[in-house]
Amino acid sequence: MCGIVAALSHHDVVPFLIEGLRRLEYRGYDSAGLATLTGQHLQRFRAVGRVKELEEASAGHAAPLGIAHTRWATHGAVTQDNAHPHRSERDGRSVCVVHNGIIENHAELREALRERGYVFASQTDTEVVAHLVHEARGRTASLAEAVRMARAQLRGAYALGIVCSDDPRTLVVARQAAPLMLGLTAHQQSVFVASDASALVSQTQTLVYLEDGDQAVITQVSESSPVVVRIEDMQGAALVRESTTTSLTHDDVDLGPYAHYMQKEMAEQPGAVAATLETVVGAGSLAPGLFGSEAEGLFPQVQRVLILACGTSYHSGLVARYWLEDIAGLPTSVEIASEYRYRKSVAEPGTLVITISQSGETADTLAALEHAKAQGQQLTLSICNVPESSLIRASRLRFLTRAGPEIGVASTKAFTTQLAALYLLTLVLAKVRGVLSPGAEAEAIQSLRHLPAALASVLTAEPEFQAWAAEFVEKEHALFLGRGIHSPIAMEGALKLKEISYIHAEAYAAGELKHGPLALVDANMPIVAVAPNDQLAEKLRSNLEEVRARGGVLYVVADQGAGIEPSDGVRVIELGDHAGALSPILHVVPLQMLAYHVALARGHDVDKPRNLAKSVTVE
Ligand code: G6P
């Protein structure tokens, strides 16, 4: 959460800082700020609200060096005083700092700094960093050294950008357990910095990813000299970090003709799933190598599966449990990462620990993986959408979903691509275990080939779901029902609705209705049911009868032939034929579209729902 951009250039960097923040706004959007250094003149602009407020506050300002930040509050309320950059100003020296992450020992550092005469203007953990650097800069002639001295006192996670009025044409950035990367340009006219590549690709595709502990010192000898970068370790020794060319382009992160990123990302699902499956559908058969070079040796050792994830990624794990047990015959448990990381569990040998994450930076998922490893779990696999993420680096085996950047806070294409990846994994494990016949394998690959077209066909029903949405606008509560492998889809539908429309939504396995939730059902409670034409269709129909008998209005997303006819109080939208094992991947899309249109109709900011953030990098 939170986003950082910074730059030193021959040109004015303020337009880049504002545009970069706009790209990162999805990571945090309660306040924003920037600080620029021109010669020794340090100037700061901050605004509560969106980046456009900051743009107005800093209109007309130009500078060759700056740091900027968009915030998602962790320590301290959403106020201008708590917005970054934080400043330490005393004895004619001014230091400004932007920070992502959490300084765990901020309380004790704050106390000690107060005793040494520093006055705090915010409730944030970040402000201690500004004062520590300020203090250290009084004791050493170099900002880089001062930052190192300050960092030696910090505990926690951080990506930092720092400027000081004593150090014209100098920008110091550092990384510890929070992503940070540099963007390099030809002829060394500029160096850009960001916490996420999407903020850099408008300028350059040549990136250098900093590693934990790294500090980069970006300087210019004079206004017209090249901008140079020196990457150092915690002792100040130079490090070599290779540059890479990202495949991410400006178009990938551009909204294009869409009204919202969520709309764009829902529409991209056929392409994203096709890209994720690309290497497989071309080939006639599946191989462990899809999951990393070690997979061939490790997969035969797998006797059970433990899946750890948060939010929507957790729901994809719940769906995968059905596949892994049914098709591969592997006992599977799925746990919320934030719970598992603090639980004393029994580590069983032969467990494949799968972490699933769109961002690969979710703090709880990373900690859960570390917890599993500390318990001796050796077989680790991550399914993730960001190749350079911390999660990918922390696992032995990996599979990259190729959804492209997901910017809308409500996850859509990340979910469907995760499901595609988990289905592939199931097939590969089933094959390794000798329980997938060549015929079944060929049939499964054939159905995967058809999946993007099937998704595209579901998307064409959008106007029908938009019409349903109008009936939800005034509602305060909604119930989602599903059975079997579609009960996690009902959970995902309820999550989508609550996070962007703010309607209280709960999901139940339909068979559980009589054990409580039926008491809630009346004419004011819309009930959304996922009704595939599978072996549970009959049972689901009885559950829906029970609801109808209590006056509840049903909104049923049904496969053709599911046997649910529209009638008074029963709205039905039919999808295509039952898609077999892949059915959950199709059935979630209508629920995404419904949530999107309900949120729009209620006048909400669909991409940036209140109180949430895209990537939860703090506990
Ligand atoms: C946040 C996002 C969700 C996401 C969850 C896990 O809550 O708003 O959309 O599902 O984090 O994120 P991850 O990046 O680990 O999938």
Side-chain angles (χ1 to χ4, degrees):
M1 30 233 324
C2 305
I4 288 178
V5 283
L8 172 57
S9 174
H10 286 199
H11 312 289
D12 174 21
V13 297
V14 176
F16 161 72
L17 297 179
I18 295 287
E19 181 52 25
L21 287 186
R22 208 170 264 130
R23 295 280 172 216
L24 299 188
E25 205 175 12
Y26 72 104
R27 301 187 66 108
Y29 37 83
D30 58 42
S31 51
L34 64 87
T36 62
L37 187 62
T38 310
Q40 292 192 298
H41 185 50
L42 190 54
Q43 248 184 300
R44 179 172 64 154
F45 303 86
R46 296 184 296 172
V48 169
R50 300 292 162 83
V51 171
K52 70 172 167 17
E53 324 288 339
L54 176 67
E55 186 176 23
E56 282 161 22
S58 60
H61 182 64
L65 168 55
I67 56 177
H69 187 269
T70 176
R71 177 171 189 247
W72 188 87
T74 55
H75 293 70
V78 179
T79 62
Q80 181 151 323
D81 280 345
N82 287 332
H84 298 220
H86 289 287
R87 185 164 65 190
S88 179
E89 205 165 24
R90 208 164 117 173
D91 311 328
R93 178 185 315 117
S94 191
V95 168
C96 272
V97 172
V98 289
H99 165 222
N100 282 359
I102 286 193
I103 306 301
E104 283 164 11
N105 56 340
H106 71 100
E108 55 202 81
L109 291 170
R110 176 183 281 257
E111 213 37 58
L113 281 159
R114 272 210 182 105
E115 279 166 20
R116 302 202 291 271
Y118 281 94
V119 177
F120 281 78
S122 78
Q123 286 90 51
T124 64
D125 54 334
T126 303
E127 195 179 347
V128 299
V129 183
H131 294 313
L132 287 175
V133 173
H134 181 281
E135 186 179 51
R137 183 64 183 83
R139 288 195 244 122
T140 170
S142 124
L143 180 60
E145 177 62 17
V147 174
R148 259 194 304 281
M149 287 160 68
R151 289 178 65 199
Q153 301 171 67
L154 303 179
R155 239 185 16 245
Y158 53 78
L160 294 169
I162 300 169
V163 288
C164 173
S165 59
D166 286 357
D167 302 87
R169 295 186 294 276
T170 304
L171 164 64
V172 178
V173 301
R175 174 198 158 125
Q176 183 62 50
L180 200 63
M181 61 216 66
L182 313 176
L184 308 181
T185 56
H187 314 304
Q188 296 177 282
Q189 294 240 321
S190 312
V191 171
F192 302 97
V193 182
S195 51
D196 183 320
S198 60
L200 295 175
V201 290
S202 64
Q203 304 296 328
T204 177
Q205 288 179 285
T206 310
L207 307 184
V208 175
Y209 287 87
L210 296 184
E211 294 188 11
D212 281 346
D214 289 3
Q215 179 163 310
V217 186
I218 301 154
T219 49
Q220 238 185 334
V221 174
S222 73
E223 266 174 40
S224 54
S225 42
V227 181
V228 295
V229 180
R230 179 186 153 92
I231 302 177
E232 305 174 339
D233 66 13
M234 282 296 271
Q235 283 68 48
L239 292 167
V240 177
R241 298 277 178 245
E242 297 301 326
S243 67
T244 56
T245 306
T246 177
S247 56
L248 196 68
T249 66
H250 187 54
D251 285 350
D252 291 332
V253 291
D254 205 51
L255 194 51
Y258 296 95
H260 303 97
Y261 279 104
M262 184 179 176
Q263 187 190 33
K264 177 183 188 229
E265 289 156 9
M266 288 190 298
E268 283 173 346
Q269 291 181 103
V273 167
T276 299
L277 297 172
E278 192 182 301
T279 46
V280 179
V281 295
S285 72
L286 299 157
L290 285 169
F291 296 87
S293 52
E294 283 189 89
E296 190 154 4
L298 296 180
F299 276 177
Q301 300 171 33
V302 175
Q303 288 162 33
R304 62 187 62 77
V305 174
L306 168 63
I307 300 179
L308 305 168
C310 303
T312 288
S313 299
Y314 168 69
H315 292 159
S316 71
L318 289 177
V319 172
R321 179 159 68 106
Y322 288 85
W323 287 330
L324 285 160
E325 298 219 338
D326 180 21
I327 301 170
L330 282 165
T332 300
S333 53
V334 190
E335 262 198 71
I336 293 171
S338 58
E339 287 296 314
Y340 173 79
R341 65 180 288 191
Y342 291 117
R343 198 167 72 79
K344 263 196 184 166
S345 49
V346 181
E348 291 174 285
T351 303
L352 177 64
V353 178
I354 305 176
T355 42
I356 309 171
S357 173
Q358 187 285 128
S359 62
E361 302 294 345
T362 300
D364 283 322
T365 307
L366 288 167
L369 175 57
E370 288 316 313
H371 182 65
K373 289 202 277 190
Q375 292 197 322
Q377 303 282 18
Q378 301 285 326
L379 305 173
T380 56
L381 162 68
S382 287
I383 293 179
C384 184
N385 195 39
V386 180
E388 309 80 12
S389 63
S390 307
L391 192 67
I392 285 289
R393 286 200 295 258
S395 305
R396 274 176 97 174
L397 304 175
R398 62 197 59 103
F399 184 92
L400 279 171
T401 50
R402 292 170 64 193
E406 192 181 66
I407 311 257
V409 166
S411 186
T412 52
K413 62 176 180 172
F415 182 68
T416 39
T417 53
Q418 283 168 357
L419 290 180
L422 286 159
Y423 186 66
L424 276 185
L425 175 68
T426 303
L427 297 175
V428 170
L429 287 170
K431 191 171 171 184
V432 168
R433 292 165 61 75
V435 293
L436 186 74
S437 69
E441 180 182 359
E443 207 176 297
I445 293 176
Q446 184 52 33
S447 62
L448 284 173
R449 250 182 222 128
H450 180 63
L451 185 57
L455 279 165
S457 154
V458 174
L459 284 165
T460 62
E462 183 168 358
E464 296 176 71
F465 291 101
Q466 186 171 1
W468 275 8
E471 298 184 25
F472 282 70
V473 176
E474 301 297 328
K475 303 292 183 198
E476 293 303 325
H477 308 275
L479 208 52
F480 284 70
L481 301 177
R483 291 206 70 135
I485 195 168
H486 294 84
S487 66
I489 295 302
M491 291 167 76
E492 176 60 8
L495 176 62
K496 288 286 87 83
L497 188 69
K498 80 181 92 165
E499 64 186 339
I500 57 174
S501 77
Y502 318 151
I503 293 174
H504 167 230
E506 276 194 78
Y508 270 90
E512 192 64 10
L513 259 187
K514 311 187 195 49
H515 302 293
L518 205 51
L520 296 170
V521 172
D522 62 17
N524 290 321
M525 172 75 91
I527 290 123
V528 181
V530 184
N533 187 18
D534 62 10
Q535 73 281 11
L536 290 172
E538 178 73 45
K539 304 255 179 241
L540 182 73
R541 279 199 295 274
S542 325
N543 300 141
L544 299 186
E545 288 297 329
E546 291 157 11
V547 169
R548 196 54 212 126
R550 270 88 189 166
V553 177
L554 285 164
Y555 297 83
V556 188
V557 183
D559 284 345
Q560 268 169 32
I564 299 166
E565 296 304 323
S567 60
D568 186 32
V570 184
R571 322 258 191 280
V572 181
I573 297 176
E574 272 197 350
L575 307 181
D577 288 336
H578 181 50
L582 298 178
S583 172
I585 308 183
L586 300 177
H587 270 275
V588 75
V589 176
L591 307 187
Q592 299 167 347
M593 295 192 286
L594 177 65
Y596 172 76
H597 284 290
V598 175
L600 266 193
R602 284 167 70 103
H604 295 162
D605 186 340
V606 174
D607 287 334
K608 301 185 187 78
R610 69 183 180 201
N611 306 338
L612 301 180
K614 180 68 183 164
S615 180
V616 184
T617 52
V618 295
E619 220 185 313

